[in-house]
Coordinates of all heavy atoms in Angstrom, one line a residue:
K1 N 4.6 -14.0 -23.3 CA 3.7 -13.0 -23.7 C 2.8 -12.5 -22.5 O 2.6 -11.3 -22.3 CB 2.8 -13.4 -24.8 CG 1.8 -12.4 -25.2 CD 1.4 -12.4 -26.6 CE 0.3 -11.5 -27.0 NZ 0.4 -10.1 -26.6
A2 N 2.3 -13.4 -21.7 CA 1.5 -13.1 -20.5 C 2.3 -12.2 -19.5 O 1.7 -11.3 -19.0 CB 0.9 -14.3 -19.9
A3 N 3.5 -12.6 -19.3 CA 4.4 -11.8 -18.4 C 4.6 -10.4 -18.9 O 4.6 -9.5 -18.2 CB 5.7 -12.6 -18.1
R4 N 4.9 -10.3 -20.2 CA 5.1 -9.0 -20.8 C 3.9 -8.1 -20.7 O 3.9 -6.9 -20.4 CB 5.5 -9.1 -22.3 CG 5.9 -7.8 -22.9 CD 6.3 -7.9 -24.3 NE 6.9 -9.1 -24.7 CZ 6.5 -9.8 -25.8 NH1 5.5 -9.4 -26.5 NH2 7.1 -11.0 -26.1
D5 N 2.7 -8.7 -20.9 CA 1.4 -8.0 -20.9 C 1.2 -7.5 -19.4 O 0.7 -6.4 -19.2 CB 0.3 -8.8 -21.3 CG 0.3 -9.1 -22.8 OD1 1.0 -8.3 -23.5 OD2 -0.4 -10.0 -23.3
A6 N 1.4 -8.4 -18.4 CA 1.3 -8.0 -17.0 C 2.2 -6.9 -16.7 O 1.8 -6.0 -16.0 CB 1.5 -9.2 -16.1
F7 N 3.5 -7.0 -17.1 CA 4.4 -5.9 -16.8 C 4.0 -4.6 -17.4 O 4.0 -3.6 -16.8 CB 5.8 -6.3 -17.4 CG 6.9 -5.3 -17.2 CD1 7.6 -5.3 -16.0 CD2 7.1 -4.3 -18.1 CE1 8.6 -4.4 -15.8 CE2 8.1 -3.3 -17.9 CZ 8.9 -3.4 -16.7
D8 N 3.5 -4.6 -18.7 CA 3.1 -3.4 -19.4 C 1.9 -2.8 -18.7 O 1.8 -1.6 -18.5 CB 2.7 -3.7 -20.8 CG 3.9 -3.9 -21.7 OD1 5.0 -3.5 -21.2 OD2 3.8 -4.4 -22.8
R9 N 0.9 -3.6 -18.2 CA -0.2 -3.1 -17.5 C 0.2 -2.4 -16.2 O -0.4 -1.4 -15.9 CB -1.2 -4.2 -17.2 CG -2.2 -4.6 -18.3 CD -3.3 -5.4 -17.9 NE -3.0 -6.6 -17.1 CZ -2.6 -7.7 -17.6 NH1 -2.6 -7.9 -18.9 NH2 -2.3 -8.7 -16.8
Q10 N 1.1 -3.0 -15.5 CA 1.5 -2.5 -14.2 C 2.4 -1.2 -14.3 O 2.1 -0.2 -13.6 CB 2.2 -3.5 -13.3 CG 2.5 -3.0 -11.9 CD 3.1 -4.1 -11.1 OE1 3.1 -5.3 -11.4 NE2 3.5 -3.8 -9.9
F11 N 3.4 -1.3 -15.1 CA 4.4 -0.2 -15.2 C 4.2 0.8 -16.3 O 4.4 2.0 -16.1 CB 5.8 -0.8 -15.3 CG 6.1 -1.6 -14.1 CD1 6.1 -3.0 -14.1 CD2 6.5 -1.0 -12.9 CE1 6.4 -3.7 -13.0 CE2 6.8 -1.7 -11.7 CZ 6.8 -3.1 -11.8
R12 N 3.7 0.4 -17.4 CA 3.4 1.4 -18.5 C 2.1 2.1 -18.3 O 1.9 3.3 -18.4 CB 3.6 0.7 -19.8 CG 3.4 1.7 -21.0 CD 3.4 1.0 -22.3 NE 2.1 0.3 -22.4 CZ 1.8 -0.7 -23.2 NH1 2.7 -1.1 -24.1 NH2 0.7 -1.3 -23.2
D13 N 1.0 1.2 -18.1 CA -0.3 1.7 -18.0 C -0.8 2.1 -16.6 O -1.9 2.6 -16.4 CB -1.3 0.7 -18.6 CG -0.9 0.3 -20.0 OD1 -0.3 1.1 -20.7 OD2 -1.3 -0.9 -20.4
H14 N 0.1 1.8 -15.6 CA -0.2 2.1 -14.2 C -1.5 1.5 -13.7 O -2.2 2.2 -12.9 CB -0.2 3.7 -14.0 CG 1.1 4.3 -14.4 ND1 2.3 4.2 -13.7 CD2 1.4 5.1 -15.5 CE1 3.2 4.8 -14.3 NE2 2.7 5.4 -15.4
E15 N -1.7 0.3 -14.0 CA -2.9 -0.4 -13.5 C -2.5 -1.3 -12.4 O -1.3 -1.7 -12.2 CB -3.5 -1.3 -14.7 CG -4.1 -0.5 -15.8 CD -4.6 -1.4 -16.9 OE1 -4.8 -2.6 -16.6 OE2 -4.9 -0.9 -18.0
V16 N -3.5 -1.6 -11.6 CA -3.2 -2.5 -10.4 C -3.1 -3.9 -10.9 O -3.9 -4.4 -11.7 CB -4.4 -2.4 -9.4 CG1 -4.2 -3.3 -8.2 CG2 -4.5 -1.0 -8.9
P17 N -2.1 -4.7 -10.4 CA -1.9 -6.1 -10.9 C -3.1 -6.9 -10.4 O -3.8 -6.6 -9.5 CB -0.6 -6.5 -10.2 CG -0.1 -5.4 -9.4 CD -1.0 -4.3 -9.6
D18 N -3.3 -8.1 -11.1 CA -4.4 -8.9 -10.8 C -4.2 -9.7 -9.5 O -5.1 -10.2 -8.9 CB -4.7 -9.9 -11.9 CG -5.1 -9.2 -13.2 OD1 -5.7 -8.1 -13.1 OD2 -4.8 -9.7 -14.3
D19 N -2.9 -10.0 -9.2 CA -2.6 -10.9 -8.1 C -2.2 -10.1 -6.8 O -1.3 -10.6 -6.0 CB -1.5 -11.8 -8.5 CG -0.2 -11.1 -8.9 OD1 -0.3 -9.9 -9.0 OD2 0.8 -11.7 -9.0
V20 N -3.0 -9.1 -6.4 CA -2.7 -8.3 -5.2 C -3.1 -9.2 -4.0 O -4.3 -9.6 -4.0 CB -3.4 -7.0 -5.2 CG1 -3.3 -6.3 -3.9 CG2 -2.9 -6.1 -6.3
P21 N -2.2 -9.4 -3.0 CA -2.6 -10.2 -1.9 C -3.7 -9.4 -1.0 O -3.6 -8.2 -0.8 CB -1.3 -10.4 -1.1 CG -0.4 -9.3 -1.6 CD -0.9 -8.9 -3.0
V22 N -4.6 -10.2 -0.4 CA -5.6 -9.6 0.5 C -5.1 -10.0 1.9 O -4.9 -11.1 2.2 CB -7.0 -10.2 0.2 CG1 -8.0 -9.7 1.2 CG2 -7.4 -9.9 -1.2
V23 N -5.0 -8.9 2.7 CA -4.5 -9.1 4.1 C -5.6 -8.6 5.1 O -6.4 -7.7 4.7 CB -3.2 -8.4 4.4 CG1 -2.1 -9.1 3.6 CG2 -3.2 -7.0 4.1
S24 N -5.6 -9.1 6.3 CA -6.6 -8.6 7.3 C -6.0 -7.4 8.1 O -4.7 -7.3 8.2 CB -6.9 -9.7 8.3 OG -7.6 -10.8 7.6
W25 N -6.8 -6.6 8.6 CA -6.4 -5.5 9.5 C -5.6 -6.1 10.7 O -6.0 -7.2 11.2 CB -7.7 -4.8 10.0 CG -7.4 -3.6 10.8 CD1 -7.4 -3.5 12.2 CD2 -7.0 -2.3 10.3 NE1 -7.0 -2.2 12.6 CE2 -6.8 -1.5 11.5 CE3 -6.8 -1.8 9.1 CZ2 -6.4 -0.1 11.3 CZ3 -6.5 -0.4 9.0 CH2 -6.3 0.4 10.1
P26 N -4.5 -5.5 11.1 CA -3.7 -6.1 12.1 C -4.4 -6.4 13.4 O -5.2 -5.6 13.9 CB -2.6 -5.1 12.4 CG -2.6 -4.2 11.1 CD -4.0 -4.3 10.6
K27 N -4.2 -7.6 14.0 CA -4.8 -7.9 15.3 C -4.2 -7.0 16.4 O -3.1 -6.7 16.4 CB -4.5 -9.4 15.6 CG -5.0 -10.3 14.6 CD -6.3 -11.0 15.1 CE -6.6 -12.1 14.1 NZ -7.8 -11.8 13.4
G28 N -5.1 -6.6 17.3 CA -4.6 -5.8 18.4 C -4.4 -4.3 18.0 O -4.0 -3.5 18.9
A29 N -4.7 -3.9 16.8 CA -4.7 -2.5 16.4 C -5.9 -1.8 17.0 O -6.9 -2.3 17.1 CB -4.7 -2.4 14.9
P30 N -5.7 -0.5 17.4 CA -6.8 0.2 18.0 C -8.0 0.3 17.1 O -7.8 0.4 15.8 CB -6.2 1.6 18.2 CG -4.7 1.5 18.1 CD -4.4 0.3 17.3
A31 N -9.1 0.3 17.6 CA -10.4 0.4 16.8 C -10.5 1.7 16.1 O -11.2 1.8 15.1 CB -11.6 0.1 17.7
D32 N -10.0 2.8 16.7 CA -10.1 4.1 16.2 C -9.1 4.4 15.1 O -9.1 5.5 14.5 CB -10.1 5.2 17.2 CG -8.8 5.1 18.1 OD1 -8.1 4.1 18.0 OD2 -8.5 6.1 18.7
G33 N -8.2 3.5 14.7 CA -7.3 3.6 13.7 C -5.9 3.5 14.1 O -5.5 3.3 15.2
L34 N -5.0 3.6 13.1 CA -3.6 3.4 13.3 C -2.8 4.4 12.4 O -3.2 4.6 11.2 CB -3.3 1.9 12.8 CG -2.0 1.2 13.3 CD1 -1.9 1.1 14.8 CD2 -2.0 -0.2 12.7
P35 N -1.7 5.0 12.9 CA -0.9 5.8 12.0 C -0.4 5.0 10.8 O -0.1 3.8 10.9 CB 0.3 6.2 12.8 CG -0.2 6.1 14.2 CD -1.2 4.9 14.2
L36 N -0.4 5.6 9.6 CA -0.1 5.0 8.3 C 1.2 4.3 8.4 O 1.4 3.2 7.9 CB -0.2 5.9 7.2 CG 0.1 5.4 5.8 CD1 -0.9 4.2 5.5 CD2 -0.1 6.5 4.7
A37 N 2.3 4.9 9.0 CA 3.6 4.4 9.0 C 3.6 3.1 9.8 O 4.2 2.1 9.4 CB 4.6 5.3 9.6
N38 N 2.8 3.0 10.9 CA 2.8 1.8 11.7 C 2.0 0.7 11.0 O 2.3 -0.5 11.0 CB 2.1 2.1 13.0 CG 2.9 3.0 13.9 OD1 3.2 4.1 13.5 ND2 3.3 2.6 15.1
L39 N 0.9 1.1 10.2 CA 0.2 0.1 9.5 C 1.0 -0.5 8.4 O 1.0 -1.8 8.3 CB -1.1 0.8 8.8 CG -2.0 -0.1 8.0 CD1 -2.6 -1.2 8.8 CD2 -3.0 0.8 7.3
L40 N 1.8 0.2 7.7 CA 2.7 -0.3 6.7 C 3.7 -1.3 7.2 O 3.9 -2.4 6.7 CB 3.4 0.8 5.9 CG 2.6 1.7 5.1 CD1 3.5 2.8 4.5 CD2 1.8 1.0 4.0
K41 N 4.2 -1.0 8.4 CA 5.1 -2.0 9.1 C 4.4 -3.2 9.5 O 4.8 -4.3 9.3 CB 5.8 -1.3 10.3 CG 6.8 -2.2 11.0 CD 7.2 -1.7 12.3 CE 8.0 -2.7 13.1 NZ 7.1 -3.7 13.7
D42 N 3.2 -3.0 10.2 CA 2.5 -4.2 10.7 C 2.0 -5.1 9.6 O 1.9 -6.3 9.8 CB 1.2 -3.7 11.5 CG 1.6 -3.1 12.8 OD1 2.8 -3.2 13.2 OD2 0.7 -2.4 13.4
L43 N 1.7 -4.6 8.4 CA 1.3 -5.4 7.2 C 2.5 -6.0 6.5 O 2.3 -6.8 5.6 CB 0.5 -4.6 6.3 CG -0.9 -4.0 6.8 CD1 -1.5 -3.1 5.7 CD2 -1.8 -5.2 7.2
G44 N 3.7 -5.6 6.8 CA 4.9 -6.2 6.2 C 5.2 -5.5 4.8 O 6.0 -6.0 4.1
L45 N 4.6 -4.4 4.6 CA 4.9 -3.6 3.3 C 6.2 -2.8 3.5 O 6.8 -2.4 2.5 CB 3.8 -2.7 3.0 CG 2.5 -3.5 2.6 CD1 1.3 -2.5 2.4 CD2 2.7 -4.2 1.3
E46 N 6.6 -2.6 4.7 CA 7.9 -1.9 5.0 C 8.6 -2.6 6.1 O 7.9 -3.2 7.0 CB 7.7 -0.4 5.3 CG 7.3 0.5 4.2 CD 8.5 0.8 3.3 OE1 9.6 0.2 3.4 OE2 8.3 1.6 2.3
K47 N 9.9 -2.5 6.2 CA 10.7 -3.2 7.2 C 10.5 -2.6 8.6 O 10.6 -3.2 9.6 CB 12.1 -3.3 6.8 CG 12.4 -4.2 5.6 CD 13.8 -4.2 5.3 CE 14.1 -5.0 4.0 NZ 15.4 -5.0 3.6
S48 N 10.4 -1.2 8.6 CA 10.4 -0.5 9.9 C 9.5 0.7 9.7 O 9.2 1.1 8.6 CB 11.7 0.0 10.3 OG 12.3 0.9 9.4
T49 N 9.1 1.3 10.8 CA 8.3 2.5 10.7 C 9.1 3.7 10.2 O 8.5 4.5 9.5 CB 7.7 2.9 12.1 OG1 8.7 3.0 13.0 CG2 6.6 1.9 12.6
S50 N 10.4 3.7 10.4 CA 11.2 4.7 9.8 C 11.3 4.6 8.3 O 11.1 5.7 7.6 CB 12.7 4.6 10.3 OG 12.7 4.8 11.7
D51 N 11.4 3.4 7.7 CA 11.3 3.2 6.3 C 10.0 3.6 5.8 O 9.9 4.3 4.7 CB 11.6 1.8 5.9 CG 13.1 1.4 6.1 OD1 13.9 2.3 6.2 OD2 13.3 0.2 6.1
A52 N 8.9 3.3 6.5 CA 7.6 3.6 6.1 C 7.4 5.2 6.0 O 6.9 5.7 5.1 CB 6.5 3.0 7.0
R53 N 7.9 5.8 7.1 CA 7.8 7.3 7.2 C 8.5 7.9 6.0 O 8.0 8.8 5.4 CB 8.4 7.7 8.5 CG 8.0 9.1 8.9 CD 8.4 9.5 10.3 NE 7.8 8.6 11.3 CZ 8.5 7.8 12.1 NH1 9.8 7.7 12.0 NH2 7.9 7.0 12.9
R54 N 9.7 7.4 5.6 CA 10.4 8.0 4.5 C 9.7 7.8 3.2 O 9.6 8.7 2.4 CB 11.8 7.3 4.4 CG 12.9 8.1 5.1 CD 14.3 7.5 4.8 NE 14.4 6.1 5.3 CZ 14.8 5.8 6.6 NH1 14.9 6.8 7.4 NH2 14.9 4.6 7.0
S55 N 9.1 6.6 3.0 CA 8.4 6.3 1.8 C 7.2 7.3 1.6 O 6.9 7.8 0.6 CB 7.9 4.9 1.7 OG 9.0 4.0 1.6
I56 N 6.5 7.5 2.8 CA 5.3 8.4 2.8 C 5.7 9.8 2.4 O 5.1 10.4 1.6 CB 4.6 8.3 4.1 CG1 4.0 6.9 4.3 CG2 3.5 9.3 4.2 CD1 3.6 6.6 5.7
E57 N 6.8 10.3 3.1 CA 7.2 11.7 2.9 C 7.7 11.9 1.5 O 7.6 13.0 1.0 CB 8.3 12.0 3.9 CG 7.8 12.2 5.4 CD 8.8 12.3 6.4 OE1 10.0 12.1 6.1 OE2 8.5 12.6 7.6
Q58 N 8.2 10.9 0.8 CA 8.7 11.0 -0.5 C 7.6 10.8 -1.6 O 7.9 10.9 -2.8 CB 9.8 10.0 -0.8 CG 11.1 10.4 0.1 CD 12.1 9.3 0.0 OE1 11.9 8.2 -0.7 NE2 13.2 9.5 0.7
G59 N 6.4 10.6 -1.1 CA 5.3 10.5 -2.0 C 5.1 9.1 -2.7 O 4.5 9.0 -3.7
G60 N 5.7 8.1 -2.0 CA 5.7 6.7 -2.6 C 4.6 5.8 -2.1 O 4.6 4.6 -2.3
V61 N 3.6 6.4 -1.4 CA 2.5 5.6 -0.8 C 1.2 6.1 -1.3 O 0.9 7.3 -1.2 CB 2.6 5.6 0.7 CG1 1.4 4.8 1.3 CG2 3.9 5.0 1.2
K62 N 0.3 5.2 -1.7 CA -1.0 5.5 -2.1 C -2.0 4.7 -1.4 O -1.8 3.5 -1.2 CB -1.2 5.3 -3.6 CG -0.4 6.1 -4.6 CD -0.7 5.8 -6.0 CE 0.1 6.6 -7.0 NZ -0.2 6.3 -8.4
L63 N -3.1 5.4 -1.0 CA -4.3 4.7 -0.4 C -5.4 4.9 -1.3 O -5.8 6.0 -1.6 CB -4.7 5.4 1.0 CG -3.7 5.2 2.2 CD1 -4.3 5.9 3.4 CD2 -3.6 3.7 2.5
D64 N -5.9 3.8 -1.8 CA -7.0 3.8 -2.8 C -6.7 4.7 -4.0 O -7.6 5.5 -4.4 CB -8.3 4.1 -2.2 CG -8.8 3.0 -1.3 OD1 -8.6 1.8 -1.6 OD2 -9.5 3.3 -0.3
G65 N -5.4 4.7 -4.5 CA -5.1 5.5 -5.6 C -4.7 6.9 -5.3 O -4.3 7.7 -6.2
E66 N -4.8 7.4 -4.1 CA -4.5 8.8 -3.7 C -3.2 8.8 -2.9 O -2.9 8.1 -2.0 CB -5.6 9.3 -2.7 CG -5.4 10.6 -2.2 CD -6.4 11.0 -1.1 OE1 -7.5 10.5 -1.2 OE2 -6.1 11.8 -0.2
V67 N -2.3 9.7 -3.4 CA -0.9 9.8 -2.8 C -1.1 10.4 -1.4 O -1.8 11.4 -1.2 CB 0.0 10.7 -3.6 CG1 1.3 10.9 -2.9 CG2 0.2 10.1 -5.0
V68 N -0.4 9.8 -0.4 CA -0.5 10.3 1.0 C 0.9 10.8 1.3 O 1.9 10.1 1.1 CB -0.9 9.2 1.9 CG1 -0.9 9.7 3.4 CG2 -2.3 8.7 1.5
K69 N 1.1 12.0 1.9 CA 2.4 12.5 2.2 C 2.5 12.8 3.7 O 3.5 13.3 4.2 CB 2.7 13.8 1.4 CG 2.9 13.5 0.0 CD 3.6 14.6 -0.7 CE 4.0 14.2 -2.1 NZ 4.9 15.1 -2.7
D70 N 1.5 12.5 4.5 CA 1.5 12.7 6.0 C 1.7 11.4 6.7 O 0.8 10.6 6.8 CB 0.2 13.4 6.4 CG 0.2 13.7 7.9 OD1 1.3 13.6 8.6 OD2 -0.9 14.0 8.4
P71 N 2.9 11.1 7.2 CA 3.2 9.9 7.9 C 2.4 9.7 9.2 O 2.2 8.5 9.6 CB 4.7 9.9 8.2 CG 5.1 11.3 8.1 CD 4.1 12.0 7.2
K72 N 1.9 10.7 9.7 CA 1.1 10.6 11.0 C -0.4 10.5 10.7 O -1.2 10.4 11.6 CB 1.4 11.8 11.8 CG 2.8 11.9 12.3 CD 3.0 13.1 13.2 CE 4.5 13.1 13.6 NZ 4.8 14.3 14.4
R73 N -0.8 10.4 9.4 CA -2.2 10.3 9.1 C -2.7 9.0 9.7 O -2.1 7.9 9.6 CB -2.4 10.2 7.6 CG -3.8 10.0 7.2 CD -4.0 10.0 5.7 NE -5.3 9.6 5.4 CZ -5.8 9.6 4.1 NH1 -5.0 10.0 3.1 NH2 -7.0 9.2 3.9
V74 N -3.8 9.1 10.4 CA -4.5 7.9 11.0 C -5.4 7.3 10.1 O -6.3 7.9 9.5 CB -5.2 8.3 12.3 CG1 -5.9 7.1 12.9 CG2 -4.2 8.9 13.3
V75 N -5.2 6.0 9.9 CA -6.0 5.2 8.9 C -7.0 4.4 9.8 O -6.6 3.6 10.6 CB -5.2 4.3 8.0 CG1 -6.0 3.5 7.1 CG2 -4.1 5.1 7.3
S76 N -8.3 4.5 9.5 CA -9.3 3.8 10.2 C -9.5 2.4 9.6 O -9.2 2.2 8.4 CB -10.6 4.5 10.1 OG -10.5 5.8 10.7
V77 N -10.1 1.5 10.3 CA -10.4 0.2 9.8 C -11.4 0.3 8.6 O -12.4 1.0 8.7 CB -11.1 -0.7 10.9 CG1 -11.4 -2.0 10.4 CG2 -10.2 -0.8 12.1
P78 N -11.0 -0.2 7.5 CA -11.9 -0.1 6.3 C -13.2 -0.9 6.4 O -13.2 -2.0 7.0 CB -11.1 -0.6 5.1 CG -10.1 -1.5 5.8 CD -9.8 -1.0 7.2
A79 N -14.3 -0.3 5.9 CA -15.6 -1.0 6.0 C -15.6 -2.2 5.0 O -16.1 -3.3 5.3 CB -16.7 -0.1 5.6
G80 N -15.0 -2.1 3.9 CA -14.8 -3.2 2.9 C -13.4 -3.5 2.7 O -12.8 -4.1 3.6
E81 N -12.8 -3.1 1.6 CA -11.4 -3.3 1.3 C -10.7 -1.9 1.0 O -11.4 -1.0 0.4 CB -11.2 -4.2 0.1 CG -11.4 -5.6 0.4 CD -11.0 -6.5 -0.7 OE1 -10.7 -6.0 -1.8 OE2 -10.9 -7.8 -0.5
M82 N -9.5 -1.8 1.3 CA -8.7 -0.6 1.0 C -7.4 -1.1 0.3 O -6.8 -2.0 0.7 CB -8.3 0.1 2.3 CG -7.4 1.2 2.2 SD -7.1 2.1 3.7 CE -6.7 0.8 4.9
L83 N -7.1 -0.4 -0.8 CA -5.9 -0.8 -1.6 C -4.7 0.1 -1.1 O -4.9 1.3 -1.1 CB -6.1 -0.6 -3.1 CG -4.9 -0.9 -4.0 CD1 -4.6 -2.4 -4.0 CD2 -5.2 -0.4 -5.4
I84 N -3.6 -0.5 -0.8 CA -2.4 0.2 -0.4 C -1.3 -0.1 -1.4 O -1.1 -1.3 -1.7 CB -2.0 -0.1 1.0 CG1 -3.0 0.2 2.1 CG2 -0.7 0.6 1.4 CD1 -2.7 -0.1 3.5
Q85 N -0.7 0.9 -1.9 CA 0.5 0.7 -2.8 C 1.7 1.4 -2.2 O 1.6 2.6 -1.8 CB 0.2 1.3 -4.2 CG 1.3 1.2 -5.1 CD 1.0 1.8 -6.5 OE1 -0.1 2.3 -6.7 NE2 2.0 1.8 -7.3
V86 N 2.8 0.7 -2.1 CA 4.1 1.3 -1.6 C 5.1 1.1 -2.8 O 5.4 0.0 -3.2 CB 4.6 0.5 -0.4 CG1 5.9 1.1 0.1 CG2 3.5 0.6 0.7
G87 N 5.5 2.2 -3.3 CA 6.4 2.2 -4.4 C 5.7 1.7 -5.7 O 4.5 1.9 -5.8
K88 N 6.4 1.1 -6.6 CA 5.8 0.6 -7.8 C 5.4 -0.9 -7.7 O 4.6 -1.3 -8.6 CB 6.7 0.8 -9.0 CG 6.9 2.3 -9.3 CD 7.8 2.4 -10.6 CE 8.0 3.9 -10.9 NZ 8.7 4.0 -12.2
R89 N 5.9 -1.6 -6.8 CA 5.8 -3.1 -6.8 C 5.0 -3.7 -5.6 O 4.6 -4.8 -5.7 CB 7.2 -3.7 -6.9 CG 7.9 -3.3 -8.1 CD 9.3 -3.9 -8.2 NE 10.0 -3.4 -9.3 CZ 10.5 -4.2 -10.3 NH1 10.4 -5.5 -10.2 NH2 11.1 -3.7 -11.3
R90 N 4.9 -3.0 -4.5 CA 4.3 -3.6 -3.3 C 2.8 -3.1 -3.2 O 2.6 -1.9 -3.1 CB 5.1 -3.3 -2.1 CG 6.4 -4.0 -2.1 CD 7.3 -3.6 -1.0 NE 7.8 -2.2 -1.3 CZ 8.5 -1.5 -0.6 NH1 8.7 -1.8 0.7 NH2 8.9 -0.3 -1.0
Y91 N 1.9 -4.1 -3.2 CA 0.5 -3.8 -3.1 C -0.1 -4.7 -2.0 O 0.4 -5.8 -1.7 CB -0.2 -4.2 -4.4 CG 0.0 -3.2 -5.5 CD1 1.1 -3.5 -6.4 CD2 -0.8 -2.2 -5.8 CE1 1.3 -2.6 -7.5 CE2 -0.6 -1.4 -6.9 CZ 0.5 -1.6 -7.7 OH 0.7 -0.8 -8.8
A92 N -1.2 -4.2 -1.4 CA -2.0 -5.1 -0.5 C -3.4 -4.5 -0.5 O -3.6 -3.3 -0.5 CB -1.4 -5.0 0.9
R93 N -4.4 -5.4 -0.4 CA -5.8 -5.1 -0.2 C -6.0 -5.4 1.2 O -5.9 -6.6 1.7 CB -6.7 -5.9 -1.1 CG -6.6 -5.5 -2.6 CD -7.8 -6.1 -3.3 NE -7.6 -5.9 -4.7 CZ -7.9 -4.8 -5.4 NH1 -8.3 -3.8 -4.8 NH2 -7.7 -4.7 -6.7
V94 N -6.4 -4.4 2.0 CA -6.6 -4.6 3.5 C -8.1 -4.7 3.7 O -8.9 -3.9 3.3 CB -6.1 -3.4 4.3 CG1 -6.3 -3.6 5.7 CG2 -4.6 -3.2 3.9
K95 N -8.5 -5.9 4.3 CA -9.9 -6.1 4.7 C -10.1 -5.6 6.1 O -9.2 -5.7 7.0 CB -10.2 -7.6 4.7 CG -10.3 -8.3 3.4 CD -10.8 -9.7 3.5 CE -10.4 -10.4 4.7 NZ -10.8 -11.8 4.7
G96 N -11.3 -5.1 6.4 CA -11.7 -4.7 7.7 C -11.9 -5.9 8.6 O -11.9 -7.0 8.2
A97 N -12.0 -5.6 9.9 CA -12.1 -6.7 10.9 C -13.4 -7.4 10.8 O -14.4 -7.0 10.3 CB -11.9 -6.1 12.3

């Protein structure tokens, strides 16, 4: 029952799952930000920057609930936490440095 409820919350109700992993901003990343495609690859949410670029262009990436379609968008280091969603199943909360 718990698994069914979690599935319904994530896929039917489009809610963020409770067990989203918290990851740190990539070490060695520029202080002024990083292109979104590179960030997704560095965080392990995509296998390559090409895959990340495709996902972004197809509208499959959200930053804090907002769909992003520009793969060259520069993402700055978050002050607190930033929620990234790739597709329907891959999530990460990114902590600032």
Side-chain angles (χ1 to χ4, degrees):
K1 174 148 176 51
R4 184 178 335 122
D5 290 342
F7 180 88
D8 286 344
R9 275 195 311 275
Q10 183 175 354
F11 295 104
R12 185 188 67 199
D13 304 334
H14 303 289
E15 293 179 13
V16 178
D18 297 331
D19 59 348
V20 174
V22 177
V23 295
S24 297
W25 186 259
K27 300 257 189 252
D32 56 343
L34 198 60
L36 181 56
N38 294 59
L39 179 62
L40 295 177
K41 180 192 170 286
D42 291 349
L43 294 176
L45 293 171
E46 286 287 5
K47 294 179 184 175
S48 67
T49 53
S50 297
D51 286 344
R53 197 173 298 114
R54 267 189 294 279
S55 293
I56 296 166
E57 289 171 350
Q58 293 172 359
V61 176
K62 292 182 182 179
L63 288 178
D64 289 327
E66 175 188 333
V67 176
V68 179
K69 290 197 173 191
D70 179 14
K72 295 181 182 177
R73 176 176 172 179
V74 176
V75 180
S76 302
V77 180
E81 283 188 352
M82 171 176 51
L83 179 68
I84 299 178
Q85 178 182 355
V86 180
K88 291 185 178 184
R89 297 176 186 239
R90 289 172 286 173
Y91 290 86
R93 289 194 190 277
V94 181
K95 285 191 328 187

